[in-house]
Amino acid sequence: MHNVKYLILGGGISGLAFAYQKRHDDYLVIEKESMPGGLCRSFYAPGFVWDVAGHFFHFHSEQTRQFVKQMLEGVELCNVTKCAKVFYGDRYLNAPFQYNIHQLPPDEFLQCLTDLYFANDADNAPSFKSFVRQKFGAGISDKFLIPYNEKLYACDLDELERDSMGKFLPKLTFDMLMTFYHGQKGTTYNDFFLYPKDGTMQLVNSYMKHLVTERIHLGESVVEIDTDSKTVTTDRGSYHYDHLISTLPLNRFIDMAHCGDSHLLHSNKIVVLNLGFDLPSRDKEVNWVYFPGDEVFYRVGFYNNIAPREKMSLYVEIGLRSDEPVDIDRLLQRTLVDLRRVHITDQHQLVSHHAIIVEPAYVHITHDSKAETQRVIESMRRQNVYMVGRYARWEYSAIDDSIEQAQELSAQLG
Ligand SMILES: Cc1cc2nc3c(=O)[nH]c(=O)nc-3n(C[C@H](O)[C@H](O)[C@H](O)COP(=O)(O)OP(=O)(O)OC[C@H]3O[C@@H](n4cnc5c(N)ncnc54)[C@H](O)[C@@H]3O)c2cc1C
């Protein structure tokens, strides 16, 4: 049996970020795919660069921004000022919807404004759905926040906890409304972002340059975890560890380590369609669009307006229940019809495409999942097992959070 001080499960950004912190020590990463990067991988077709849906670098800490820029030295970066829209009814409005209700028809604007005026404090709301309604009023909620998030999460929002979206749900005050009404810009977490011209994978490649190839086992799957004997079994062999760092989805970890009830943790899954066309996009500015209506997708992004390229290159995100069957051809055909309906395509011909299923994609944060997550994380920690990243901690977080969690854990372990 192989002995290793830091055994890292999963070679996505969280696993690589932790390995980087321990690059001068004894570490080993086990990754089931043949390529590292997890959700930060990119895919290349002639003339097109695609991610697992757009993965952009936004930061809440200046230190992390500087760290990532340093890691990406020599990589061509696009500095983007966000331009996001909402397709509502038959028109495009600026996003976030709740800041731009003045762009609605006058009667709907008035309804949203009145409902917002009479909205209540939502601190005691029992669910995400009631939180949204209490906080933003029925107008904004029923026109956008509820239908959009129901498409994304693919569940009844009454099942989700009040703070399910955390920092990702833009707050709203009358002052903010006035700022946007007067055409000034307000602030959201990703107003400015960085993106490598050749895809998010560039960050993965930058990490890989600092790591030893032999210590990254690709194409190897973890199948069993025994935290009493500190042993991990894979489809290739067994490893004994001092410290185990898991970035695997917590529900799967629980099943492999027999340490909890994985049924309490559920999520949606998403289908990402990356589409390359023969013509430029009609809109040359928009980065992505939110769709709360009956289109099959909830979001469509324009790679060509983020890392400028001549031909239109889209990512299309479709939310599904985890038990829903997936028929990629049917979803693609429906997508092409709906893209035309919302005026993104007209004479455009699809010349290249690629599909990915992501599961879990957005975890469902419920009363039970929160309690079980906390219990498992705390009990595992007492056995030198640590969770890093969005899926291991069963939360809604981003790349910068993975990097910071890896740095913090590494510092704690000395
Ligand atoms: C649609 C979408 C868009 C997003 N956009 C952004 C964005 O713009 N900006 C941003 O900062 N964040 C974004 N995120 C969040 C971001 O993707 C995650 O925070 C981050 O990639 C999580 O990295 P991770 O390494 O923790 O997980 P993962 O990338 O999921 O890595 C886990 C790894 O574990 C491996 N694995 C799983 N099971 C096993 C097993 N049994 N054995 C061995 N290996 C295994 C997987 O193959 C995978 O490589 C987005 C997420 C989604 C779903």
Side-chain angles (χ1 to χ4, degrees):
M1 188 178 316
H2 193 107
N3 275 300
V4 59
K5 187 167 168 191
Y6 298 107
L7 184 60
I8 303 162
L9 309 184
I13 207 68
S14 301
L16 299 180
F18 186 83
Y20 172 82
Q21 294 304 128
K22 296 298 180 199
R23 63 195 179 283
H24 304 302
D25 211 326
D26 179 27
Y27 69 87
L28 180 68
V29 177
I30 299 178
E31 166 56 51
K32 76 176 163 60
E33 300 293 336
S34 57
M35 222 164 102
L39 291 191
C40 292
R41 283 169 298 161
S42 302
F43 306 90
Y44 303 92
F48 301 103
V49 177
W50 295 314
D51 293 340
V52 181
H55 267 74
F56 311 118
F57 303 140
H58 40 78
F59 308 93
H60 50 265
S61 137
E62 184 52 31
Q63 209 177 334
T64 309
R65 176 197 303 278
Q66 291 309 331
F67 171 79
V68 169
K69 282 183 88 166
Q70 211 175 322
M71 286 297 282
L72 289 168
E73 209 178 293
V75 168
E76 191 176 346
L77 286 178
C78 305
N79 272 289
V80 187
T81 303
K82 182 180 74 175
C83 173
K85 303 220 161 162
V86 177
F87 186 76
Y88 177 76
D90 59 355
R91 64 175 75 186
Y92 283 91
L93 317 177
N94 290 343
F97 181 87
Q98 55 268 47
Y99 294 179
N100 293 290
I101 49 178
H102 59 277
Q103 295 178 352
L104 290 167
D107 56 329
E108 295 196 58
F109 173 37
L110 195 60
Q111 186 207 341
C112 288
L113 212 51
T114 315
D115 291 349
L116 180 66
Y117 181 77
F118 289 109
N120 296 316
D121 195 1
D123 288 349
N124 295 320
S127 72
F128 181 63
K129 195 179 206 166
S130 53
F131 169 79
V132 160
R133 277 180 150 259
Q134 279 174 234
K135 188 95 191 159
F136 296 92
I140 291 174
S141 303
D142 294 346
K143 290 176 198 307
F144 181 74
L145 288 173
I146 292 176
Y148 174 76
N149 283 298
E150 274 177 356
K151 281 173 81 176
L152 181 148
Y153 282 105
C155 74
D156 180 348
L157 300 181
D158 262 336
E159 290 170 24
L160 304 185
E161 275 281 277
R162 174 169 51 101
D163 57 354
S164 284
M165 283 183 68
K167 64 182 177 187
F168 295 96
L169 182 65
K171 307 277 178 293
L172 181 61
T173 62
F174 264 91
D175 284 353
M176 284 169 164
L177 271 186
M178 287 304 122
T179 305
F180 277 79
Y181 182 65
H182 288 293
Q184 291 152 17
K185 283 259 169 195
T187 47
T188 57
Y189 72 94
N190 59 354
D191 287 334
F192 307 97
F193 59 89
L194 289 178
Y195 184 66
K197 186 160 191 291
D198 288 324
T200 308
M201 186 72 189
Q202 300 302 311
L203 181 61
V204 174
N205 294 342
S206 301
Y207 271 112
M208 290 296 284
K209 280 187 201 145
H210 295 274
L211 302 174
V212 178
T213 314
E214 291 72 34
R215 289 176 184 267
I216 313 283
H217 286 198
L218 298 175
E220 179 167 354
S221 289
V222 176
V223 290
E224 191 76 22
I225 298 163
D226 184 337
T227 54
D228 292 328
S229 65
K230 294 189 164 187
T231 309
V232 166
T233 307
T234 72
D235 52 2
R236 285 203 218 151
S238 294
Y239 302 86
H240 183 267
Y241 60 82
D242 294 341
H243 300 281
L244 184 65
I245 290 79
S246 175
T247 72
L248 310 187
L250 188 60
N251 56 347
R252 294 183 197 146
F253 177 93
I254 286 174
D255 285 343
M256 289 191 268
H258 313 287
C259 62
D261 185 353
S262 63
H263 296 104
L264 298 177
L265 308 190
H266 38 92
S267 71
N268 75 346
K269 69 182 165 207
I270 64 169
V271 170
V272 178
L273 300 175
N274 286 320
L275 308 179
F277 292 88
D278 62 341
L279 296 174
S281 56
R282 303 177 71 204
D283 186 320
K284 305 278 187 275
E285 291 191 340
V286 69
N287 302 141
W288 58 82
V289 184
Y290 302 100
F291 290 90
D294 61 2
E295 299 79 20
V296 66
F297 35 75
Y298 64 83
R299 185 164 56 181
V300 174
F302 294 69
Y303 287 112
N304 54 293
N305 290 343
I306 292 165
R309 283 195 168 79
E310 195 201 333
K311 306 280 170 63
M312 183 162 77
S313 176
L314 304 180
Y315 61 89
V316 172
E317 297 173 54
I318 300 168
L320 300 170
R321 292 190 323 271
S322 61
D323 60 355
E324 222 167 317
V326 178
D327 179 343
I328 297 288
D329 285 341
R330 191 188 62 79
L331 291 174
L332 177 61
Q333 291 319 315
R334 173 81 198 276
T335 293
L336 293 174
V337 170
D338 287 353
L339 286 175
R340 194 170 284 256
R341 189 155 67 95
V342 299
H343 318 294
I344 289 179
T345 54
D346 47 25
Q347 304 303 313
H348 297 76
Q349 294 297 323
L350 185 69
V351 292
S352 195
H353 69 277
H354 169 255
I356 314 154
I357 300 171
V358 182
E359 186 181 3
Y362 290 86
V363 304
H364 292 162
I365 299 177
T366 64
H367 176 75
D368 289 345
S369 81
K370 258 176 119 171
E372 187 64 348
T373 299
Q374 192 182 348
R375 191 193 66 72
V376 171
I377 288 179
E378 280 170 11
S379 75
M380 285 295 105
R381 211 178 161 89
R382 290 193 287 275
Q383 299 197 63
N384 292 9
V385 180
Y386 311 91
M387 310 300 169
V388 178
R390 171 172 167 136
Y391 301 106
R393 294 192 183 183
W394 209 253
E395 63 185 17
Y396 190 166
S397 62
I399 296 167
D400 61 336
D401 298 299
S402 289
I403 293 171
E404 288 165 20
Q405 289 172 14
Q407 291 170 341
E408 276 162 29
L409 177 62
S410 169
Q412 284 164 18
L413 296 181

